[in-house]
Every structure is written in C-alpha cells, then in structure tokens.
Amino acid sequence: MRTAHIKRLPCRRKKFVAFFLPLVYNVLHMDFWVNAPKQIMPRGGGLEISMKYFGTDGFRGEANESLTVEHAYKVGRFLGYYYNKENHRAKVVIGKDTRLSGYMFESALVSGLTASGADVYELHVTTTPSVSYLIREENFDCGIMISASHNPYYDNGIKVINEQGYKLEPEVEEQIERYIDGEMGEIPLVKREKIGRCYDYAKGRERYKQYLIGLAKERFDGRTIALDLANGSASVMAREIFEELGAQVIVRNDQPNGTNINRECGSTHIETLQGLVYDTGADIGFAYDGDADRCLAVDDEGKVIDGDHIMYLCGKLFKEQGRLNRDTVVTTVMSNMGLYKAFDKLGIRYEKTAVGDKYVCENMIANDYSIGGENSGHIIFREHAVTGDGILTSLMIMEAWMHYGKPMSLLTNELVIYPQLLVNVRVKDKLAARGDEDVRKAEREAEEALGDSGRLLLRESGTEPLIRVMVEAETDEMCKKYVNHIVHALKEKGHILE
C-alpha cells in the first residue's frame, strides 16, 4: 500500500509572503495570491490552479450526483490527516445549512475526520460567517460549512475554511483533489486512542449570536423589522438577535423542511420581502440567502436596497466617523456607475475588482480597507469579520439608519442608480466570440457613444457558455440600444448558439 505524500504549507514561507506580497499587489495589481498569515491573505496560490472539483466557493454540485458521500468522506480523511501533527490532535468545526442532504454529508465528513484522528465540533445548522468567526476565536485548525448558498435544495457544497477564517488555499484544495482521484496513495487509518471524537457544539452558535448582538451601538426599540430567512441558516438566529435588541420582528420563510431553502424566498427572490414590508408597514426589511453570508434590504417604501446602496450608506457613515481606512471602498466591476459618482461627491475613493467576493477580500486585506462588497449583497466589514456576513450587514444598515434619523427611503434616495440592462448571450465559443475583431469594434463604438454618461461591460461567464453584455446609461432606451448593438455583432458573425 502506497502512503499518501502530503505537502504542508511551511511557516517560513508564510512570513516571507506576509511582507513581500502586498508590495507586489500594489505594483502589479495581481489577481491571485500566495498563502500568507492571518493579517495578510485570505487564499493561496501565486498562480490560478485549474480545479476539477473545487471552484471559487468550495466543492459544489448536485447531491449524490456530482458531489457524493464518498467525496465528503475523502475530504474529511484528508483534512484530518493534514492538520494532525505529532503532538497535536486536529480540531475541526463543522456547520451546515438546512438542505436535506446536509445530514448525509455531515456524517460522511465526521467519519472521515475522526478516522484520520481529528476531533470534530458540530454546530449543526448555522451560518457560514459563524464558522469563520469561531475558527478564529476558538483556535480551530480549520472549519467546514456544508452549503450551496443560494442554489436550490438538491445542490450542496463543502466549503473548507482555513485557520485564519478565510477560504482554503488552492494548493491544499489541489492536494485534496489528487487524494480523491487516488493520485496520492493511501492515508493511514488511526488506531485505538488516536481515533477522533465528535462533540455537540451548539454553544458555539450561541457565542456567535451574542457577539453580533454586542455589535449593536443602540437598541431597536420601537422599530418594526421584517425578515425573510430563506428557510435557511438564518432561521436559527436572526429573529432572536433582532428581538433581543428590542425590535418588533415580522418573520417569513423560517420553517425549513430540507427542500424549501431559497424556494421563492430570500435574497434571490426579493419581491417576497417587498410584499411583506408593503403589507405590514414595516420600517425596513432584510432578506438573506441560504447560508446567510449575504443580505439585501427593502426600505419603508418597498424599494430594494442592494449592495451598492449598502456600501454607499455605510461608507458615508464610516468616513464621517473616521472608520473608513484610507477613505476607500472596494467594489467589483458590476457596481453601478451611480455609486462611483456618489462616492466622488463624498470624497470617497474606490477600487474595482473582478466579480467574486474572493477578489474583493484579497484587495481589502492587501490594502487594509474597511468595507468592500458586491451589489448582490455580499458585504465585508473588516473591523468585525473577515468574510461576508448577512446578519452583520443588516446590523450595520441599522446603525447607519438610526444614526441619521431619517426614513430609510430618504437615505437611499441620495444614491442615483443608473438604468442597467444585462443580457446573457449563449455562444458557441466564449473566447472566439470575445476576441472577434468585429465584436470588439462594436464594443468600441458603443463605448465612444456612451462617453461619460454610461458604460459597457462585456465578460465571459466562468461556468457557462455565455457572454454577459451589460450597459448602464441615463435611460432604459440607451441601455437597450447599445446592448442590441453588441448582440447584433455577435449574431452577424455566427457566434450565437441558437
């Protein structure tokens, strides 16, 4: 039997990168990172590694189709062995959302971890950011969240979080993949007293809940708050947090049954919360996704408060209070140009990264920024957390709202969002379509015509054969005109898949 050869990341390398890599980032604007200590880097990998199983948000797929119990068991076996040391028994914390398959994957992971000698602490149903928080506060070697976020119930995922609270380094994910595919030999089973134990760790979830309550600067007495909990992870704590802070809470979609997570509810179906706020006369409403790492809100008039609104409102408050490091907010290229115009008026600088919370996080840590996020509602407040946290985001919105003392609808009206049209065009070959000279010519024509009054963004989907065409302009008609201009060029050259 060939024993697996596993590479552990050396401490000396981490210390070197902690000093050197931020300099490289600021000079070259690199997108990918080498592994480094807590204060520097969320992920590893000087070069992007092409993965078979792991994507930007863990190992995700349909349960027992592309993600099976055998996969989960092997992930557990590897992690238990990887984090165990001669005089140190690995400690791993596990959480899950409310999907039916979560029990199955939880059991498989626990079996694999304990068979490799690790002790496992089960949070049961909890939020992804709670796992990240507890890893850092309780000195766990790593954590695992079993969730597919906003995907339907029949999908699931294994998200591994390192000892710093960030997503696992790609170099380690690559080794896991090689072990799953039998390319690394066998990992020995531990014997006798070295077999790991499993502990109920519901008290960890309670500690995290009390941490969030403690962040509120004042109570919410007299405020009526509507919550859409997506029949997901937020169901176990969001209502209690707001009620303990004195709010009158109206809740929907807090009865998970294993198959109703994200089903016509939560942040991906914000119209449900809009209807709830309108019908009940609530002052404000918050909607979360399946694992509660993102949040969207609805104001007192029923209008959606997306990630751009949240970054504007909190960025403004933080700047006034001297809490906005370097007076900068980190966004992605998908943020609305209206946000940047508003930031210009406030004297707030901004960074633009590629789409994806990992790129936002990398930029924030490399430059020590305070706030960053995506317009989808995945917002990172680094003074309180190292990852996106939906419930934390709603508490930060409450802080800003109560500080300014105006109806939320008046606060959000300060930000003028430009009309935006996004069309997904299914193509035969993304690279060929994106590189076509006639398509590029049409792109230049649209950009010149829009000038400073709008913008055009063309990008390839990372997971599907799609070219995404997005135009922002002063009117809906202009958006439609220039989107059609690009789509027509793609069609004329035969790139569109009919």
Side-chain angles (χ1 to χ4, degrees):
M1 180 177 71
R2 182 168 66 93
T3 301
H5 175 65
I6 292 174
K7 297 178 182 178
R8 290 180 171 85
L9 299 179
C11 291
R12 280 186 301 173
R13 176 184 170 193
K14 291 185 178 184
K15 291 177 181 177
F16 170 77
V17 174
F19 169 77
F20 182 71
L21 197 53
L23 303 178
V24 177
Y25 182 93
N26 286 310
V27 174
L28 301 179
H29 304 286
M30 291 174 64
D31 285 332
F32 306 104
W33 293 86
V34 180
N35 176 59
K38 182 185 300 185
Q39 70 270 27
I40 298 297
M41 284 316 310
R43 275 178 76 86
L47 295 175
E48 186 76 348
I49 300 172
S50 178
M51 297 286 186
K52 178 179 178 181
Y53 302 117
F54 284 87
T56 57
D57 213 21
F59 186 165
R60 191 176 291 186
E62 184 172 344
N64 277 346
E65 185 66 37
S66 52
L67 174 60
T68 68
V69 288
E70 287 83 3
H71 290 134
Y73 175 74
K74 286 191 171 184
V75 170
R77 290 278 284 124
F78 180 93
L79 292 173
Y81 185 77
Y82 182 83
Y83 285 104
N84 257 335
K85 299 177 178 63
E86 187 173 342
N87 298 312
H88 171 75
R89 182 189 289 270
K91 286 175 52 182
V92 180
V93 61
I94 293 183
K96 65 183 177 185
D97 67 18
T98 59
R99 294 163 207 274
L100 185 63
S101 59
Y103 300 95
M104 173 179 74
F105 289 122
E106 182 180 47
S107 297
L109 285 161
V110 169
S111 295
L113 285 159
T114 53
S116 290
D119 286 344
V120 181
Y121 293 73
E122 291 184 290
L123 290 164
H124 308 292
V125 174
T126 192
T127 67
T128 293
S130 73
V131 177
S132 174
Y133 168 79
L134 289 165
I135 289 169
R136 293 177 291 116
E137 292 299 312
E138 299 290 343
N139 296 315
F140 285 100
D141 293 289
C142 75
I144 302 171
M145 182 65 185
I146 305 165
S147 174
S149 190
H150 56 275
N151 285 25
Y153 83 91
Y154 48 78
D155 288 340
N156 216 326
I158 299 171
K159 181 189 295 186
V160 185
I161 304 170
N162 69 17
E163 71 277 10
Q164 304 155 20
Y166 301 116
K167 296 176 183 179
L168 190 64
E169 297 82 6
E171 294 169 51
V172 184
E173 290 176 339
E174 184 186 32
Q175 291 188 72
I176 297 173
E177 293 200 350
R178 291 178 58 217
Y179 174 65
I180 289 173
D181 287 341
E183 298 174 2
M184 296 184 64
E186 292 298 321
I187 290 175
L189 292 161
V190 298
K191 306 291 196 315
R192 301 188 180 186
E193 73 279 359
K194 292 186 177 180
I195 293 172
R197 300 174 185 268
C198 185
Y199 301 92
D200 183 291
Y201 192 51
K203 68 178 183 180
R205 191 175 63 209
E206 181 64 22
R207 177 177 178 178
Y208 168 73
K209 187 174 78 172
Q210 292 304 318
Y211 168 71
L212 290 180
I213 291 171
L215 294 179
K217 288 196 165 39
E218 54 185 304
R219 290 179 56 80
F220 303 154
D221 298 294
R223 314 284 179 161
T224 301
I225 299 173
L227 300 176
D228 182 345
L229 305 184
N231 292 312
S233 293
S235 301
V236 299
M237 66 178 74
R239 179 179 198 146
E240 291 83 356
I241 289 170
F242 284 98
E243 286 182 340
E244 286 198 34
L245 288 168
Q248 179 181 346
V249 183
I250 304 165
V251 179
R252 294 291 185 274
N253 301 309
D254 62 337
Q255 299 295 320
N257 62 15
T259 63
N260 62 357
I261 185 171
N262 299 318
R263 185 192 296 164
E264 298 180 2
C265 59
S267 60
T268 53
H269 293 276
I270 196 65
E271 67 278 1
T272 301
L273 180 63
Q274 287 178 290
L276 179 61
V277 170
Y278 181 82
D279 291 341
T280 62
D283 297 309
I284 195 169
F286 300 109
Y288 309 106
D289 63 342
D291 64 336
D293 68 350
R294 65 181 68 189
C295 167
L296 293 179
V298 170
D299 70 20
D300 51 294
E301 293 183 351
K303 293 181 294 187
V304 176
I305 302 170
D306 67 9
D308 286 348
H309 290 96
I310 297 167
M311 287 187 284
Y312 169 78
L313 186 62
C314 294
K316 176 183 177 182
L317 176 66
F318 276 39
K319 184 176 187 297
E320 290 174 0
Q321 296 179 340
R323 297 159 63 191
L324 188 65
N325 286 4
R326 301 172 66 180
D327 287 341
T328 301
V329 174
V330 182
T331 71
T332 75
V333 294
M334 292 303 291
S335 280
N336 193 277
M337 62 184 289
L339 175 63
Y340 303 123
K341 291 181 179 293
F343 277 161
D344 288 338
K345 291 180 181 178
L346 294 174
I348 294 176
R349 294 187 288 270
Y350 42 85
E351 298 265 3
K352 297 181 185 180
T353 76
V355 176
D357 64 284
K358 79 164 189 171
Y359 301 114
V360 172
C361 189
E362 287 169 357
N363 188 302
M364 291 179 69
I365 293 166
N367 297 290
D368 194 29
Y369 294 139
S370 309
I371 299 176
E374 301 182 276
N375 58 359
S376 60
H378 195 134
I379 313 295
I380 301 171
F381 294 91
R382 278 197 64 230
E383 68 178 10
H384 301 305
V386 299
T387 186
D389 187 327
I391 300 174
L392 170 60
T393 297
S394 53
L395 293 175
M396 294 296 100
I397 295 171
M398 290 294 296
E399 180 183 331
W401 175 39
M402 297 180 74
H403 170 82
Y404 289 115
K406 298 179 182 179
M408 183 57 71
S409 55
L410 294 181
L411 294 177
T412 55
N413 280 343
E414 296 174 3
L415 173 62
V416 178
I417 295 295
Y418 278 58
Q420 184 183 92
L421 178 61
L422 172 66
V423 174
N424 294 319
V425 183
R426 191 166 294 273
V427 295
K428 300 171 185 175
D429 185 319
K430 291 182 290 187
L431 292 178
R434 191 68 184 86
D436 188 294
E437 184 53 41
D438 288 338
V439 175
R440 295 172 70 88
K441 179 183 177 184
E443 181 181 1
R444 291 191 297 271
E445 290 171 347
E447 288 173 340
E448 290 172 4
L450 287 166
D452 293 333
S453 63
R455 69 177 180 126
L456 166 70
L457 180 64
L458 262 68
R459 68 182 187 92
E460 304 154 25
S461 166
T463 58
E464 300 177 90
L466 301 174
I467 294 290
R468 305 192 193 280
V469 185
M470 189 275 286
V471 171
E472 283 175 357
E474 294 176 340
T475 66
D476 291 321
E477 290 74 18
M478 289 179 67
C479 290
K480 186 175 181 180
K481 175 181 178 180
Y482 292 111
V483 164
N484 288 341
H485 185 64
I486 302 299
V487 173
H488 177 74
L490 288 165
K491 186 173 183 179
E492 283 292 300
K493 295 302 294 289
H495 292 297
I496 295 180
L497 196 60
E498 301 294 344

